[in-house]
Amino acid sequence: MEKNALAGDTIPRPKWRKVAYGGRQIGYDDNYTDESFLEEMVMNANVVRRDLLKVMRDSVSISQYLCIVALVVLVWVHTLESSLDENSLLLLDLSLLASGFLVLLLTEEKMLSLSLLLRYVVNISFFTTGLYILAPIYQTLTRSISSDSIWAVTVSLLLLHLFLHDYSGSTIRAPGALKNPNLTSCISLNASIVASVFVASRLPSRLHVFAVMLFSLQVFLFAPLVTYCIKKFSFGLHLVFSFALMGLTLYSVYALHRLFFVLFLVIVVLVNVVCPYWLIRMQEYKFEINGPWDEAKLCFDITD
C-alpha cells in the first residue's frame, strides 16, 4: 500500500500548455502561468514615432480652414456695417463659384466628366433659385429675438463648427472618394448653416440676405472640397495656397482691428508650432504594454 502511494507521488504532471479554450488542465490552477508567459511581452508596439516637421505640415490644414472661417466672419462684419453692398457680394459669389469649378476641373480632370459637370450646374441652379425664394423667410426669421442672443448663438455655433469639422477630408463627398463624410462633419456643417441664417436675419434687404447666404453656403459647403482636391493633387500647391490664405487673412484682420490681429496670430502660431511641439514632447511619456493577455483581433475583413 505504501509502495503504491510512493509510486503515485512520482508520476510527473503533464506539461502546461497555453490554450485559449479546452478546459482546465489537470494539476494546474486556472490562473497558472509559467516562466514563458512574459516572453511575448512587447513594449510600445503600436506607438507611432512622429516627426516634428511632418506634424507641422499636417497642422497647416487646420490653420487653412481657420483662415477660411475668419474670412467668412470678416465678410459678415463688413456686410452688417454696410461697407459691403449686395452687388459686391453677388460679384464675390460668382467669382468664388467660377474659381471653385476651375480648381475642380484642373485637379480632378480624371474624375470629372461633362455629364457630372452639367449635373453640378443644374443642382447649383436649383439651389440658388430655392435660396432666393426663401430669402424673405430668412430675413424675418429671428425678428422677435434680441441681437445679443443672436450674436452669442452665432459665435457658439461657429465654435462648434470648428470643433467638429473634419480637417483631413471634405464636408461633402469628393469625386472618386470611397467614404461619405462622417456624422460629426454633418453636424459641423449644419451648425455653420444655422449661424449663417442667424447673421442673414439681421440684414436690411432681401438681396443682402440672398447674397450673404449664397456666399456662406458656398464657402462652408464647397471650400473644404476645393482645398481637399488641391491637397490631393499637389501637397506643395496646398502649402502655397495655405500660406497665401494665411497672409490674406492676417492682413484683413489687421485692417479690421489690431487686437483681433494679435489674437488670431497667436492662434495660428499655437496651431502650427506650439501644438506640434507639445505632441512630439508627449511621445516620451507614452507607454504601452502588449502581450498574451490582450484580446484576440481579427486580421481579415468581413464583406457581406
Side-chain angles (χ1 to χ4, degrees):
M1 186 72 179
E2 186 176 357
K3 290 182 180 180
N4 292 336
L6 292 175
D9 291 341
T10 58
I11 296 177
R13 292 189 301 176
K15 185 178 180 181
W16 178 80
R17 296 178 298 110
K18 185 181 69 175
V19 291
Y21 303 98
R24 179 178 177 180
Q25 300 183 44
I26 299 176
Y28 298 97
D29 296 331
D30 287 341
N31 59 349
Y32 176 83
T33 58
D34 64 357
E35 62 277 2
S36 65
F37 183 71
L38 295 179
E39 291 179 355
E40 301 179 21
M41 185 180 70
V42 181
M43 306 286 291
N44 296 333
N46 301 317
V47 175
V48 178
R49 300 299 178 184
R50 302 181 184 273
D51 181 65
L52 178 60
L53 186 59
K54 184 180 184 303
V55 176
M56 292 177 65
R57 289 199 304 265
D58 293 338
S59 65
V60 170
S61 298
I62 302 176
S63 300
Q64 180 195 75
Y65 195 72
L66 289 176
C67 293
I68 291 175
V69 174
L71 289 175
V72 172
V73 174
L74 287 173
V75 171
W76 288 351
V77 171
H78 287 298
T79 305
L80 292 169
E81 293 178 349
S82 300
S83 58
L84 191 63
D85 59 7
E86 57 267 31
N87 294 326
S88 301
L89 277 172
L90 290 175
L91 183 61
L92 178 62
D93 293 340
L94 292 175
S95 301
L96 288 177
L97 188 62
S99 59
F101 269 115
L102 181 62
V103 170
L104 290 179
L105 288 174
L106 293 177
T107 59
E108 293 291 337
E109 55 183 359
K110 294 182 179 179
M111 296 296 178
L112 287 179
S113 60
L114 182 60
S115 60
L116 183 60
L117 188 61
L118 290 176
R119 190 174 68 181
Y120 280 169
V121 172
V122 172
N123 291 336
I124 290 176
S125 301
F126 282 118
F127 175 76
T128 53
T129 304
L131 189 62
Y132 184 78
I133 295 173
L134 294 175
I137 299 176
Y138 295 147
Q139 186 181 2
T140 59
L141 188 63
T142 62
R143 182 171 293 176
S144 60
I145 304 176
S146 65
S147 296
D148 293 339
S149 300
I150 291 296
W151 306 141
V153 174
T154 301
V155 171
S156 301
L157 288 172
L158 284 180
L159 293 177
L160 179 65
H161 170 69
L162 290 173
F163 182 75
L164 297 179
H165 181 72
D166 183 11
Y167 294 94
S168 61
S170 173
T171 308
I172 58 178
R173 184 171 180 175
L178 300 178
K179 295 182 180 179
N180 291 319
N182 50 31
L183 177 61
T184 56
S185 296
C186 297
I187 297 175
S188 172
L189 178 60
N190 289 330
S192 65
I193 293 175
V194 175
S196 304
V197 172
F198 283 165
V199 172
S201 65
R202 286 300 185 263
L203 295 174
S205 66
R206 172 180 181 174
L207 197 57
H208 263 105
V209 174
F210 169 73
V212 167
M213 285 297 300
L214 183 59
F215 167 77
S216 302
L217 293 179
Q218 276 184 355
V219 173
F220 289 126
L221 276 172
F222 298 111
L225 174 62
V226 172
T227 56
Y228 172 78
C229 292
I230 291 175
K231 184 178 180 180
K232 190 171 66 171
F233 178 76
S234 173
F235 191 79
L237 183 61
H238 162 72
L239 292 178
V240 171
F241 174 73
S242 300
F243 287 120
L245 192 63
M246 289 180 197
L248 175 63
T249 307
L250 289 172
Y251 173 77
S252 302
V253 175
Y254 180 82
L256 179 67
H257 201 283
R258 304 288 176 83
L259 180 60
F260 290 158
F261 167 78
V262 174
L263 180 61
F264 190 75
L265 181 61
V266 169
I267 292 175
V268 171
V269 173
L270 187 68
V271 170
N272 284 323
V273 180
V274 178
C275 289
Y277 176 75
W278 281 347
L279 180 62
I280 297 299
R281 288 298 304 271
M282 285 189 294
Q283 295 297 310
E284 302 175 3
Y285 306 101
K286 192 171 181 65
F287 189 72
E288 184 184 45
I289 299 177
N290 300 98
W293 51 83
D294 290 339
E295 295 181 1
K297 297 180 181 179
L298 298 177
C299 297
F300 56 90
D301 295 330
I302 302 176
T303 55
D304 294 333

